[in-house]
Amino acid sequence: MLAIIGGTGLTQLENLKITHRQVLRTPYGEPSGPMTFGIINQHEVMFLARHGYGHTIPPHMVNYRANLWALRDQGATRVLAATSVGGIRADLVPGTVVVPDQLIDYTHGREFTFFDGKDRSVTHIDFTKPYSEPLRQQLLAAARSAGLKCVDGGVHAVTQGPRLETAAEVDRMERDGAHMVGMTGMPEASLARELGLQYATIAVVANHAAGRGSSLNSIPLDTIGAVLNPAMEQVRDILEMVVVSDAN
Ligand code: HPA
């Protein structure tokens, strides 16, 4: 089944006919909230709000392991994740929707693996391409058929948060090859891979990253909502389009 993880600005799906909600427990603790199960146009989907339904869980406190475990436990095989980012590359201006194809992990201190060696032998996953290409293509095709602009590809840097970056940190990320920066992309993507789930991200650029464009001197936090909300509507349309055009 297809699953959707909603981020900031996306705590529910518009056209989802909810069949039931379920509180779940996992060996790794509780997910961010109850899992919502429903149907869009006869297509089943499950939905989880990454930050909780009241948006109370900050990026570094999200129980990524419980979230991914619960999704798989409930029958998810593919996961679409919505997230918001700051734009580093010049064309990734606020309001842009982008489907990244690479990532760089700057997070630390998070519970980031199921393979901690406690009860199994050492296990490595291949992570050369962190996102599922078929799922990325489904997102891009859905955007095209909805007539919505969506940038194909980009390097998604993931920082620890919850503070935003310094301008020098963003400069360094740019030298590293990063095109956008967010706080929730990891370890979500690698945990999905560890569980054998296909996973792709769709991101909304909420602001220029620190030291860029309108964030030259400070990030205008008070205007982020006004940018994020209409763009997340587009993401919601794209995600719903993926669900209804999905073969399975
Ligand atoms: N940095 C990190 N995470 C973010 C940003 C940012 O500028 N904007 C939205 N999420």
Side-chain angles (χ1 to χ4, degrees):
M1 200 197 305
L2 203 55
I4 293 173
I5 300 178
T8 306
L10 188 76
T11 49
Q12 56 189 27
L13 296 171
E14 190 94 348
N15 294 307
L16 183 70
K17 284 209 181 69
I18 296 171
T19 51
H20 63 291
R21 284 205 174 89
Q22 203 168 330
V23 175
L24 298 164
R25 296 203 191 332
T26 79
Y28 303 94
E30 283 187 26
S32 297
M35 195 73 73
T36 302
F37 296 85
I39 292 171
I40 305 176
N41 246 350
Q42 293 164 1
H43 291 257
E44 277 188 317
V45 64
M46 63 177 109
F47 181 86
L48 181 65
R50 183 188 291 114
H51 300 283
Y53 289 88
H55 203 276
T56 51
I57 310 170
H60 65 293
M61 299 294 286
V62 171
N63 190 339
Y64 295 96
R65 293 198 300 183
N67 286 353
L68 273 297
W69 189 272
L71 288 170
R72 192 190 59 168
D73 190 52
Q74 293 300 307
T77 50
R78 294 167 304 147
V79 180
L80 300 170
T83 196
S84 66
V85 293
I88 300 176
R89 201 171 72 193
D91 63 313
L92 297 181
V93 296
T96 307
V97 177
V98 51
V99 178
D101 63 349
Q102 274 295 335
L103 65 78
I104 302 177
D105 184 12
Y106 297 95
T107 65
H108 50 86
R110 301 182 180 190
E111 296 286 0
F112 64 95
T113 183
F114 295 108
F115 300 146
D116 51 16
K118 284 190 187 125
D119 54 5
R120 60 181 91 214
S121 57
V122 175
T123 311
H124 302 286
I125 51 159
D126 173 63
F127 205 44
T128 311
K129 296 192 172 181
Y131 301 114
S132 153
E133 193 55 28
L135 271 190
R136 278 194 357 93
Q137 291 306 329
Q138 271 185 280
L139 286 166
L140 293 165
R144 271 195 304 275
S145 66
L148 298 170
K149 194 171 162 270
C150 184
V151 176
D152 178 2
V155 179
H156 179 192
V158 189
T159 57
Q160 178 66 359
R163 71 164 176 84
L164 291 150
E165 299 71 38
T166 67
E169 286 170 337
V170 174
D171 289 344
R172 186 185 73 164
M173 286 176 208
E174 186 167 43
R175 288 195 298 275
D176 285 352
H179 299 142
M180 67 201 92
V181 53
M183 298 176 190
T184 56
M186 282 293 285
E188 204 170 81
S190 56
L191 290 169
R193 182 65 54 87
E194 286 188 354
L195 291 179
L197 299 167
Q198 287 192 53
Y199 175 96
T201 290
I202 183 163
V204 167
V205 181
N207 54 280
H208 282 112
R212 304 280 182 286
S214 53
S215 302
L216 195 58
N217 294 313
S218 65
I219 294 181
L221 292 170
D222 48 338
T223 63
I224 283 184
V227 173
L228 195 57
N229 294 335
M232 270 301 170
E233 300 267 308
Q234 295 187 10
V235 167
R236 187 184 291 141
D237 289 348
I238 293 168
L239 290 170
E240 292 187 0
M241 180 75 78
V242 172
V243 175
V244 300
S245 57
D246 196 48
N248 304 306

